[in-house]
Amino acid sequence: MTERKLMTLPRLAQMHAGGEKIAMLTCYDAAFASLLDEAGVDILLIGDSLGNVLQGRGSTAPVSLDDMLYHTTCVRRGVKYAFVIADLPFDSYHVSKEEAWKSAAALVKAGAHMVKLEGGGWTTETVRFISERGIPVCVHLGFTPQTVTALGGFKVQGRDEESAARIKRESQQAVEAGAAMLLYEMVPAALAADITAASPVPVIGIGAGVGTSGQVLVLHDMLNITPGRKPRFVKDFMTGKDSVLAGVKGYVDEVKAGSFPVNEVHGF
């Protein structure tokens, strides 16, 4: 068995360029971090989705930077190989690019290899400021949970010509500003595949079809732990499995093989 090597940003870029799929899951603690690492997950995302799945909140907006720092520290204690990304929470990067840098630097000190922020256009100079100072940035476009109220609810973004053009434009602006990764949530599969084909950086999708460089799901959703109705793009990977490890390995295998997601079932 080949010994697993440390996942790095250059390796992720190589995977994107070579068409090798990237498997990513959210993670919030050391125990799951160790299990996901063992299962071969490439990227662990400490998402502000912890507000929903761990804190029982109705949105991600109440999550604080202190919350993110605590969970990032916990996850890094369980990681040996995976690349670690941490979300910049709502109100931690909005006032100024200097404030955003301070927030990003704190997450890196807690153990993150990269930070993720939501929104395009207005974030461009913030992305430039952070990335020029040595912290890799992932830009989250399409449906952005931190601004769900402004978007009018959980709605697919980029369905019409104007909004699709905006997502393409903001993607290009982000990459030109130094973004090292893009993440699309709830955008049409054809749009995400089109952007990914021309993107110089990896593109991760959630509800964005199979044509992206890789996939991410909320851990609790794919393990069928989250109560209530799941989003269309979620698949229960515990069905037919006798352990959580087997379920996560099943997810990794399907992402790597390109058999998950299925556009007609999980996409838009």
Side-chain angles (χ1 to χ4, degrees):
M1 183 176 178
T2 304
E3 183 180 353
R4 190 176 178 196
K5 295 182 179 179
L6 186 69
M7 185 57 66
T8 64
L9 194 55
R11 172 64 183 135
L12 291 167
Q14 289 172 0
M15 291 170 73
H16 164 65
E20 181 182 349
K21 295 291 188 179
I22 298 167
M24 177 175 173
L25 284 171
T26 65
C27 188
Y28 315 103
D29 61 48
F32 268 114
S34 179
L35 185 145
L36 269 55
D37 220 23
E38 182 182 351
V41 179
D42 299 308
I43 304 174
L44 306 188
L45 170 65
I46 302 101
D48 56 6
S49 52
L50 66 88
N52 304 99
V53 298
L54 298 187
Q55 298 176 340
R57 300 181 183 274
S59 77
T60 61
V63 175
S64 70
L65 182 60
D66 283 342
D67 291 333
M68 295 303 304
L69 292 171
Y70 171 77
H71 287 281
T72 300
T73 301
C74 291
V75 167
R76 270 309 300 270
R77 289 180 182 139
V79 171
K80 289 183 179 179
Y81 306 107
F83 193 75
V84 176
I85 303 176
D87 274 343
L88 284 165
F90 184 71
D91 197 29
S92 71
Y93 59 96
H94 298 69
V95 173
S96 68
K97 56 184 184 292
E98 289 81 10
E99 176 200 49
W101 163 259
K102 287 288 189 182
S103 300
L107 287 170
V108 169
K109 289 178 180 179
H113 299 122
M114 171 183 272
V115 298
K116 179 168 75 65
L117 54 76
E118 292 185 7
W122 70 272
T123 66
T124 302
E125 289 310 310
T126 298
V127 171
R128 192 185 313 278
F129 192 86
I130 296 173
S131 60
E132 283 182 348
R133 284 156 180 78
I135 297 179
V137 180
C138 173
V139 176
H140 183 148
L141 298 170
F143 174 73
T144 47
Q146 291 178 5
T147 52
V148 59
T149 302
L151 294 173
F154 293 84
K155 297 182 178 180
V156 179
Q157 305 296 307
R159 282 195 187 275
D160 60 84
E161 197 171 307
E162 182 180 351
S163 59
R166 175 177 52 79
I167 290 173
K168 286 185 175 183
R169 180 175 65 252
E170 291 178 348
S171 299
Q172 183 175 355
Q173 290 171 345
V175 172
E176 288 176 351
M181 186 178 293
L182 300 172
L183 187 149
Y184 296 124
E185 181 167 358
M186 291 176 62
V187 303
L191 173 62
D194 183 40
I195 296 173
T196 302
S199 176
V201 302
V203 179
I204 306 298
I206 177 168
V210 74
T212 53
S213 313
Q215 301 295 324
V216 63
L217 285 177
V218 171
L219 177 65
H220 292 59
D221 287 349
M222 57 81 65
L223 294 178
N224 200 26
I225 296 172
T226 309
R229 184 180 177 184
K230 310 297 188 298
R232 172 188 173 100
F233 50 76
V234 172
K235 176 179 176 178
D236 174 9
F237 282 89
M238 283 303 296
T239 300
K241 303 298 193 302
D242 60 2
S243 69
V244 170
L245 180 61
V248 176
K249 284 184 174 179
Y251 169 77
V252 173
D253 289 344
E254 290 195 26
V255 170
K256 295 289 185 181
S259 57
F260 175 82
V262 177
N263 286 351
E264 295 76 15
V265 177
H266 309 104
F268 301 96

